[in-house]
Amino acid sequence: MHSTWYSLAWKEWHEHKWKLAAIAATMCGVLLCAVAFYEHHDFPGVVSSTCWVCAIPLSLFIGFGAGANERSRRSLPFLQSLPAPLWQIAILKLFFGMLMVFIPILLMATIAYAEMRIAPTWEPRALESLALCLPFAASLFIWSAAIGVNRKDEVSAAAVSLSVMVGWSLILLLIAILCWSPNQPPAWFLIASYSATPGGIALLFSSNDMMQYQTVGILLWLPIHGLLCAWYIARFGHTTHREIRSPSVAAEAGKAAWLPPPRRTALSATAWKQFRESGPIVLCGLAGAVAITTIIMMGSFYGQRDTAVFADSGDVYTKVALVVSFFIALVLGIGVCHADIEPQLNTFWRTRPINPDGWFWIKFATGLTLLLAATYLPNTTLAFLGVAKISADMTANPYLLASAQIAIFASAVAITCLVRHAVYAAILTIPVIYLGVVMIWVAMWAAAHLGGQNDWAKNPLELTETQLAWGFLLTFFFSTLLAWLAMRNDWGRKSRY
């Protein structure tokens, strides 16, 4: 008879195997496509950027899934009824989560090594970047799993985890400024801060001044993250399933009415519901952008000791908000339909007197409006005040970033409707957003060869920012169409739970 460990490991493997395949295919596929887009001398930079861009969101969502997946799927009562302690299940979840973080990066390292063997003149900077990405991704995974444990779903785990991680980083920076400004903090504080910050190990290894303390930093990094793992293991599954449906107490006897009047139309009720669901995510994203901007500006002031650095606060916030908006778009897109496509709720709302088309378009438009308003309303205000530009000169084409944001949002909605799983949706959204870009490239490649433009055909993958913007708009169009059809016809992976 198999042991309890074997049975639980078998369960976790079958839950994670397709996630691992999807992540590995996504990261390696994006790397191979990116390598084809650039000349060989750019290979180390391509590998580095591809790894970091893919590893950061994927490791976070793997952590969110490890913390909230069982409760969001309503399988936690089953785990609690098993003749096995919850700490065993928690240990295996951490183990398989780490495998999902490490194996795709190691596969990327294998591809990079093979490419370097073909062209040995390339520098090994690509492998060094991948090696640094391993502890960085592991740190993000552990922090997000420990903070998001026992949350009701992955979306709420993302909002809480990111808020806590950014807030903790800001607290450490405030301590450094208040205790040692205008002097440099002692080495022991810097080592402790880098080791105790989510992903801070990357700062420790990328700083030339801290190279002599790297061994000490690793020895401190291990117990800190070990304590986070212990926190996750001790708390996993220890939650009640009795939820308070209303923040108010029951109505007093004799009271005529204690509930607000219903919405006048089903569409306005749907918009109100989506606003209440997506609003906290947007607020967390804005708070994170403000906190990150504060960290950057205080760090600049700490380094230069000049209050003039705060004159660039508006420009810094604009850039930070644009970067954070991509993550907001991903989480917001997943959250638009994630709750309503659960089997019981999906069956319920389809019996209500509302047209499925109206249901989808109201929820989609509400989420998209919140995304664009949260991103560009503050940026427009800062531009009107003359302290920053709306796009912060991050791209030559002012529409590129906006088209990429709405493409991520629509792709996340479509994939969530089809796979009906938050972690899978986050994984598969990354390659899907390039669907329109690939279509633009195919059209230009065909036009170049049919028209005899041999110069362009020799380097056919150099797309301009305008062409990329059109590609993302195509992704937005087809993803929106797919999401609407999937919701209307109830397409997607069905589950009883």
Side-chain angles (χ1 to χ4, degrees), residues 50-66:
T50 302
C51 179
W52 289 89
V53 168
C54 293
I56 291 175
L58 293 180
S59 59
L60 286 172
F61 268 93
I62 295 170
F64 303 150

Side-chain angles (χ1 to χ4, degrees), residues 163-181:
S163 300
V164 172
M165 287 189 284
V166 173
W168 173 245
S169 302
L170 181 59
I171 290 174
L172 292 177
L173 181 59
L174 287 174
I175 293 174
I177 294 176
L178 295 176
C179 295
W180 289 283
S181 180

Side-chain angles (χ1 to χ4, degrees), residues 439-456:
M439 295 173 63
I440 292 292
W441 175 83
V442 170
M444 295 187 64
W445 182 87
H449 282 74
L450 293 176
Q453 300 177 9
N454 295 328
D455 293 339
W456 188 88

Side-chain angles (χ1 to χ4, degrees), residues 1 17 167 204 305 360 450 491:
M1 181 179 293
K17 61 183 180 181
L204 180 64
R305 305 293 189 274
F360 171 80
L450 293 176
W491 294 345

Side-chain angles (χ1 to χ4, degrees), residues 103-183:
I103 291 179
I105 298 177
L106 293 177
L107 290 176
M108 294 181 69
T110 303
I111 296 174
Y113 179 77
E115 291 285 348
M116 292 175 63
R117 293 288 294 178
I118 296 174
T121 57
W122 290 340
E123 300 178 3
R125 289 185 293 115
L127 297 180
E128 295 176 1
S129 178
L130 291 173
L132 180 59
C133 190
L134 284 172
F136 178 84
S139 177
L140 293 183
F141 164 74
I142 293 173
W143 274 87
S144 57
I147 300 173
V149 63
N150 296 333
R151 301 297 302 179
K152 64 178 181 179
D153 54 47
E154 291 86 349
V155 177
S156 64
V160 173
S161 299
L162 293 175
S163 300
V164 172
M165 287 189 284
V166 173
W168 173 245
S169 302
L170 181 59
I171 290 174
L172 292 177
L173 181 59
L174 287 174
I175 293 174
I177 294 176
L178 295 176
C179 295
W180 289 283
S181 180
N183 299 320

